[in-house]
Amino acid sequence: MEILGVDFSGAAPDNNTWVAAGTLADGGLELRECFPAGRDRVAQMLIDLPSGSVAALDFPFSVPLLFADYWRPGAQDMTQLWTAAAAMEPAEFMKLRDDFVSQHGEPKRVIDRSHTEAYSCLHKVNPNMVPMTFRGMQMLARLWPAGCDVPPLPAQNAGKAVLLEVMPGAVLRSLGLPYKGYKNGVRRLELRRTILDNLPNVCPVGLPNLQEFREICMSSHDCLDAVVAALAASLWSIDPSLFGLPNVDGDGQDPLSLPGSVLRLEGWLYAPIATVKTGAVAATPPSQ
């Protein structure tokens, strides 16, 4: 099974999106390559993945319900937001965001409120989430018509890959590993070393050749995030029940039970709801 992990960048230079590609077989993820690529190349790679493949992408797939209603009143699901984004320029979207935030602040999606490490996708300063959200939605406007499946939307059954929204920090947190400070903190190298030393021990997915990519992961947190995203895609492939799966028929009384209309517009962040140690899985709430 083909696996892809993508640490996405919405920056204007378009040279800092990282891809980790590998193969899942016999419960183990064998990494094949990890490299930076432009967004167009990444989109084509995703379209070309064979049926049964899973790709985990590190960017918000949609926006909060309140902003969606402000932007595209009457929209029924996030595919309509992706189409609208594809027809806009970045400056136009940024102005729309600025006008909205001046009135309503920076709301989070429902699922983001269950992850303390998640920012609003409308957050603009340190980090600036807006370009990656906008460019990511533009890319999804290309991937969805090509037949890719994007949970929690209904499957298209077109023989294309499954695309999951993930956040590497949430994955690391669920595994009991450092999830803050490993990117730009003063202890970043120490924390990256801790992550790489312990990943093979705390996850049921085997990582037989992780050490071949140790040096590049130590030098680039973007590469490390792509590898962690690939690990999340592998976990999904083995057992989706390890993730907090939304109940589309819910009444909104708990984070995993929401009206389908909210889920279809806001999307869902897929993170394991289990702490995994030496192959044993113990369920924990998604907010912990």
Side-chain angles (χ1 to χ4, degrees):
M1 179 182 295
E2 286 295 303
I3 295 292
L4 235 60
V6 177
D7 182 62
F8 189 80
S9 172
D14 192 15
N15 59 3
N16 207 34
T17 291
W18 278 75
V19 176
T23 304
L24 182 66
D26 300 322
L29 172 64
E30 183 167 357
L31 295 167
R32 187 169 58 252
E33 53 186 344
C34 195
F35 56 91
R39 290 184 288 267
D40 281 344
R41 181 184 176 190
V42 173
Q44 193 59 53
M45 290 177 65
L46 293 166
I47 291 172
D48 291 342
L49 286 173
S51 177
S53 303
V54 180
L57 314 178
D58 177 20
F59 64 83
F61 280 17
S62 190
V63 296
L65 180 63
L66 188 62
F67 181 66
D69 288 341
Y70 175 86
W71 175 18
R72 300 294 293 178
Q76 298 298 305
D77 62 44
M78 53 186 170
T79 67
Q80 294 172 278
L81 304 180
W82 302 337
T83 300
M88 299 175 70
E89 294 297 325
E92 184 182 0
F93 185 82
M94 188 65 78
K95 183 180 186 307
L96 185 77
R97 174 265 174 209
D98 291 346
D99 291 344
F100 173 86
V101 169
S102 69
Q103 302 174 49
H104 303 284
E106 296 178 351
K108 290 185 175 183
R109 298 175 300 170
V110 171
I111 186 58
D112 295 331
R113 297 200 293 269
S114 295
H115 296 279
T116 58
E117 62 272 31
Y119 290 90
S120 166
C121 57
L122 302 178
H123 190 66
K124 200 168 78 167
V125 179
N126 194 28
N128 185 353
M129 298 290 294
V130 183
M132 68 185 303
T133 301
F134 174 68
R135 293 294 190 188
M137 288 192 296
Q138 285 191 320
M139 189 168 76
L140 288 166
R142 176 178 172 185
L143 299 174
W144 177 258
C148 293
D149 285 338
V150 184
L153 297 177
Q156 301 193 84
N157 299 316
K160 295 293 185 176
V162 173
L163 311 181
L164 301 174
E165 178 188 337
V166 302
M167 181 168 57
V171 177
L172 291 170
R173 187 183 188 189
S174 76
L175 297 173
L177 295 175
Y179 62 95
K180 292 182 178 180
Y182 70 92
K183 296 187 179 185
N184 300 308
V186 294
R187 298 175 55 225
R188 59 188 179 277
L189 295 181
E190 174 190 346
L191 295 174
R192 290 178 203 172
R193 190 174 299 112
T194 298
I195 292 168
L196 291 164
D197 285 345
N198 288 281
L199 264 179
N201 304 320
V202 299
C203 186
V205 176
L207 294 164
N209 66 334
L210 176 62
Q211 292 308 308
E212 296 177 20
F213 295 85
R214 184 182 184 93
E215 184 176 349
I216 191 170
C217 285
M218 285 295 298
S219 64
S220 169
H221 64 79
D222 300 308
C223 178
L224 178 56
D225 276 350
V227 169
V228 173
L231 177 61
S234 302
L235 278 169
W236 174 275
S237 301
I238 291 172
D239 186 1
S241 70
L242 292 174
F243 292 72
L245 304 178
N247 175 7
V248 297
D249 297 318
D251 58 8
Q253 296 304 306
D254 69 75
L256 299 183
S257 177
L258 293 169
S261 57
V262 176
L263 286 168
R264 287 191 294 271
L265 274 169
E266 289 195 344
W268 194 256
L269 172 63
Y270 289 90
I273 58 171
T275 298
V276 185
K277 293 184 179 179
T278 61
V281 178
T284 56
S287 59
Q288 295 186 2

